[in-house]
Amino acid sequence: MTGARVAVVGIHGHGASHVRNVARLAEAGRAELVAVADPQGADGLPAGVKVFAGLDELLAATAVDVVVICTPIQTHVPLAELAMRAGADVLLEKPPTASLAEFEQLTAVVEETGRACQVGFQAQASEATLKLAAMVAEGQLGELRGISATGKWVRKAQYFQRARWSGRRRLDGIDVVDGAVTNPLAHATAAALLLDGSTGVDDVRSIETELYRANPIESDDTSSVRITTSRGTTILIAVTLCATEHREASVIVHGSEGRAVLTYQSDLIGETKYGRADLLENLLAHRADPAVPLYVPLAATGGFTRVVEAVRTAPDPSVIPPAQIDWQGEGPDRRPIVHDVEHWIDRASDELALFSEIGAPWSRAG
Ligand SMILES: NC(=O)c1ccc[n+]([C@@H]2O[C@H](COP(=O)([O-])OP(=O)(O)OC[C@H]3O[C@@H](n4cnc5c(N)ncnc54)[C@H](O)[C@@H]3O)[C@@H](O)[C@H]2O)c1
């Protein structure tokens, strides 16, 4: 048994982990890596894996069941559409689309072709996330006061220099929306929406954005966003890529009878460790038996895409004054540290408030 015929598109960045994952499933006889597509080419792949410069050439030459797409954001929709129209199911990396219009376009392709489109929000397949969502739904933390997501990350110059699209709002006239909220820390917002049971496109009532940047980029690297969901929950996102040291992101449920902290990268609620399903394995199981639900069908990223749309249409990020930034490192290691950013993120999270509302000195209020 060789399993489903899988192709991976975009293999030199995060896509390398998808190539390794298909190899793992191949050992178990559940999948076979038949081809990859990347304009940079490829080497070191198992014998027999065909290499193409683009997905169109790959699909013209090779029959595939599943296409894993791990390419720059602005290429997601055309590539996913190509794959689904060729009859393949898709595992599409997050964020699935750069705008609400693209989301609607892709949703129409899913409906028209009847293909499966799983989105790479792997934290949505964590038992920790799903367990905490069930606890919230059952009222185990009492009345919901709100949900906050915090991200204190470090990204150096080399991160923004690795590709043309990195840190861009638009590129060559096409939306990219590669900012802290919508890309590197996208899982935090998506998980917060899942905890509220508000993943659908109509589950979000309003969104306020405050975008800032310390890096010489177009997009935000330090931001607060407040979402009010249709059921009335306040979700506050406070994130930075300019922290003093890199820490795991967390999503905090504030209930009248207690607080619970989800550390989704480690599948933890508080100190308790949970398991995690694999999104490609889940897609293969869904192909074999459509009664097996996908963890992250495209439709379950509609609420998240409303946030992408709000960030896309927001004014350009405000520049954090140089006096509020310390720079460390040289060349590719150079990185900004925004003064006391951890303190202001924690306060924003506790008070469900935007940075300017709590008077962060580098915010619009300062
Ligand atoms: N799920 C996660 O935790 C996670 C983590 C990192 C990145 N990602 C996502 O993965 C995607 C890729 O991010 P990255 O950081 O690896 O980007 P990257 O720019 O570092 O790598 C992209 C790769 O795609 C290739 N590529 C570009 N255009 C292509 C095309 N038209 N056809 C085929 N290949 C093409 C590039 O040559 C490169 O190998 C993004 O959507 C990103 O958000 C997800």
Side-chain angles (χ1 to χ4, degrees), residues 240-293:
T240 188
L241 304 177
C242 312
T244 314
E245 59 182 48
H246 191 87
R247 294 182 184 200
E248 278 197 46
S250 49
V251 184
I252 304 158
V253 178
H254 308 258
S256 58
E257 286 168 32
R259 227 169 81 109
V261 180
L262 169 71
T263 314
Y264 58 80
Q265 291 168 274
S266 299
D267 305 305
L268 291 168
I269 303 175
E271 302 294 313
T272 310
K273 178 95 174 157
Y274 291 83
R276 177 185 289 219
D278 177 75
L279 292 177
L280 180 56
E281 276 186 69
N282 171 239
L283 177 57
L284 299 182
H286 175 78
R287 281 174 53 81
D289 177 4
V292 175

Side-chain angles (χ1 to χ4, degrees), residues 175-331:
D175 289 317
V176 178
V177 202
D178 180 27
V181 175
T182 51
N183 194 15
L185 283 149
H187 298 287
T189 299
L193 287 163
L194 179 69
L195 295 184
D196 189 53
S198 297
T199 56
V201 74
D202 295 325
D203 295 337
V204 169
R205 187 187 299 162
S206 63
I207 302 166
E208 298 154 89
T209 59
E210 265 192 23
L211 311 178
Y212 300 93
R213 65 172 178 85
N215 282 283
I217 56 172
E218 210 174 38
S219 295
D220 59 299
D221 58 32
T222 302
S223 296
S224 53
V225 171
R226 186 165 45 212
I227 305 162
T228 306
T229 65
S230 300
R231 45 193 300 249
T233 308
T234 301
I235 297 178
L236 193 287
I237 314 295
V239 293
T240 188
L241 304 177
C242 312
T244 314
E245 59 182 48
H246 191 87
R247 294 182 184 200
E248 278 197 46
S250 49
V251 184
I252 304 158
V253 178
H254 308 258
S256 58
E257 286 168 32
R259 227 169 81 109
V261 180
L262 169 71
T263 314
Y264 58 80
Q265 291 168 274
S266 299
D267 305 305
L268 291 168
I269 303 175
E271 302 294 313
T272 310
K273 178 95 174 157
Y274 291 83
R276 177 185 289 219
D278 177 75
L279 292 177
L280 180 56
E281 276 186 69
N282 171 239
L283 177 57
L284 299 182
H286 175 78
R287 281 174 53 81
D289 177 4
V292 175
L294 292 176
Y295 280 95
V296 200
L298 181 65
T301 64
F304 170 79
T305 304
R306 293 279 303 280
V307 177
V308 172
E309 181 71 3
V311 171
R312 183 184 78 84
T313 55
D316 283 343
S318 305
V319 178
I320 295 175
Q324 297 288 340
I325 303 169
D326 287 329
W327 287 90
Q328 278 194 357
E330 293 302 328

Side-chain angles (χ1 to χ4, degrees), residues 12 14 38-40 72 76 93-94 122 162 165 183 187:
H12 291 291
H14 182 60
D38 197 302
Q40 295 184 56
H76 285 185
E93 263 306 342
K94 42 57 57 174
Q122 68 267 15
R162 80 186 190 289
W165 65 282
N183 194 15
H187 298 287

